[in-house]
Amino acid sequence: PSAALALLCGSAAAMVVWKWLGKRQIQKKMEEAQRTRDEGVKKMAKAVQQFREQVSNVQTDAILSLPLLELTGRLREGSLSPKTVLYTYVEKALEVTQQTNCLRHFIPECEEQLQEIQQQREKGLLYGIPVSIKDHISHKGHLSTCGLVQCLGTPVQEDSVLVKVLKSQGAIPFAMTNVPQSLFNYDCSNPIFGQTLNPFNHQKSPGGSSGGEGALIAGGGSILGIGSDIGGSIRLPSSFCGLCGLKPTAERLSVWCTCLLNIDVCSHPTPVPCALGPMARDVDSLALCMKALLCQEMFQLDPTVPPIPFDEEVYSSSAPLRVGYYDTDGYFPLPPCMRRAVRDTRGALQAAGHQLVPFSPPRIHYVMTELFLKTFFADGGHAWLDVFTGNIIDPSLKPQVNCCKIPRLGKKLLALILKPLLKNVPTISTCRSVKEMWNHHHQIEAYRTEFITQWRELQLDVVLCPVLGPAFTSGYPGKLLTAISSTMLYNVLNFPAGVVPVSTVTEADEEELKHYRGCCDDPWDRTLKQAVAGAVGLPVAVQCVALPWQEELCLRFMKEVETLSREK
């Protein structure tokens, strides 16, 4: 017995030591990643200082205030040099990330790209434009971390197709921006690089998962960024940070060599695909970016992208539109200011000569639980849980992680218990066989057909609808996954959808929020109320939608909304 006891104690001690060594190794990896980032920041700060010593009369504010279209014109005609513009934006990005922690890493090779574009025979559409990219968009020689420890090993060996095309068009990728851990959150925090803050209010989140992009562009540290969207990850940061953002039809832009995580939705065949898209301060910037990307080089580098160039005629059209509209999807009622934004925009569009038609998206509760959540948690969330090496989990993700850890039977019992208390209990269904998975894919296709049929019966060109906002207090997005029904719908449908800021939260909105009851004043409704409180002065946006492959029409509608809101 004494020998057995000694063996047992020795095994337990060995297990404790083994776990401690594993955690220590993880900690060292995280510290090394943080140190690399800090060294990169110091290097770029030194480069800016050296540039300042050489060129002392740079009109920083004037350059930063130029819209993208005007900036490209000045660069192409030679009245501004790409070097001056690059270092002006790097300097501003250093300032913004110091305040908001929006950068994951600078790209020092931007100085090499600066030399290369000056040797290009033809100046591309984005000649000399500094561009920021989301952490998981591959850039040669850099990590694509997704905020995960397991991705801190080997740098990427090749630029993604999108980065290659940006460079061929003369753009200079100069920074990679922070993301939430595993990308599956619309806050922006991870255990390696920390929490990103909203530049307008540091108590608020910039949104996610393209939250670093949102904070950097809104803070003035980048003029054009590339994000990704599979549930609202371009549109939510755009809403929270007062930007314009476009989620195209998923296959319109290449996602090759983007975030090759073993569970990543960008690299797996899924019925709800990931889309890459632009984020900027105005709609014309989004249009120029799409025009630059939809070129012969992208079609050659990625043969899966349909060779459809940007249709300038559709974007420039001024013909009246037939616009469907709704201010609630009936699943998760949004705060009063977001519904007001839709009503005000509807009135402005009607006054401008467009035809407005009431529209009601069908069966959103079914879409949210049976189509969207089932796509990502078909296995009960096991593959997703596997990516959290060493059980290192960001606090903002713990509500979702804890939910996934509950056994299947426990989830069913919990759903039954909570149903009387919560109207929209997100029961996470699983696919227990290949047949069930195929049936799930068929259900998504059938819903798309149903939605398009309803759209065509009303003879709609586009749809105006709400987007989640205003910016949540940090930490709240992880508690309200189901609040993203307004954006998630158009990922399931794979429709192009964009966000345009049209207003700001007023004192009257804040007062009306006090009387907000949501669906039935349940705990989730009260949590949403807490999440958006204290937002006076923060941006308020609307969402614009078109049918698949009609990005130009979606952008044209967004431009119309932007013009009318600015006039007002």
Side-chain angles (χ1 to χ4, degrees), residues 54-67:
Q54 295 167 4
V55 186
S56 57
N57 60 341
V58 176
Q59 296 180 317
T60 301
D61 292 342
I63 292 170
L64 294 173
S65 65
L66 289 173

Side-chain angles (χ1 to χ4, degrees), residues 68-107:
L68 181 61
L69 261 62
E70 192 174 339
L71 181 59
T72 54
R74 296 278 296 275
L75 284 162
R76 291 170 71 85
E77 73 185 17
S79 61
L80 276 175
S81 73
K83 188 173 184 179
T84 299
V85 173
L86 173 63
Y87 285 114
T88 298
Y89 269 99
V90 169
E91 184 177 33
K92 185 64 178 177
L94 285 162
E95 179 191 321
V96 175
T97 197
Q98 190 174 18
Q99 296 168 355
T100 65
N101 189 38
C102 58
L103 287 188
R104 202 270 291 164
H105 195 63
F106 274 109
I107 301 172

Side-chain angles (χ1 to χ4, degrees), residues 475-539:
Y476 274 90
K479 302 173 185 177
L480 288 165
L481 176 61
T482 53
I484 65 169
S485 60
S486 60
T487 50
M488 155 298 300
L489 172 64
Y490 296 105
N491 294 94
V492 172
L493 291 167
N494 196 16
F495 283 18
V499 161
V500 184
V502 295
S503 180
T504 56
V505 180
T506 65
E507 294 284 358
D509 291 327
E510 195 76 7
E511 190 61 32
E512 194 175 349
L513 180 66
K514 293 176 183 177
H515 309 290
Y516 170 86
R517 292 179 58 83
C519 282
C520 48
D521 201 26
D522 65 15
W524 277 347
D525 293 325
R526 292 193 288 273
T527 302
L528 179 70
K529 194 172 173 178
Q530 293 164 9
V532 300
V536 173
L538 291 182

Side-chain angles (χ1 to χ4, degrees), residues 325-375:
Y325 72 90
Y326 61 92
D327 66 5
T328 179
D329 60 16
Y331 179 78
F332 208 111
L334 298 181
C337 61
M338 308 312 287
R339 300 179 72 173
R340 170 182 64 79
V342 173
R343 292 195 298 270
D344 290 352
T345 304
R346 180 195 73 192
L349 287 165
Q350 212 153 15
H354 300 284
Q355 190 174 1
L356 277 293
V357 180
F359 179 74
S360 181
R363 300 190 294 150
I364 299 298
H365 190 282
Y366 164 77
V367 176
M368 191 71 195
T369 56
E370 288 299 316
L371 302 186
F372 182 74
L373 290 175
K374 197 170 183 178
T375 294

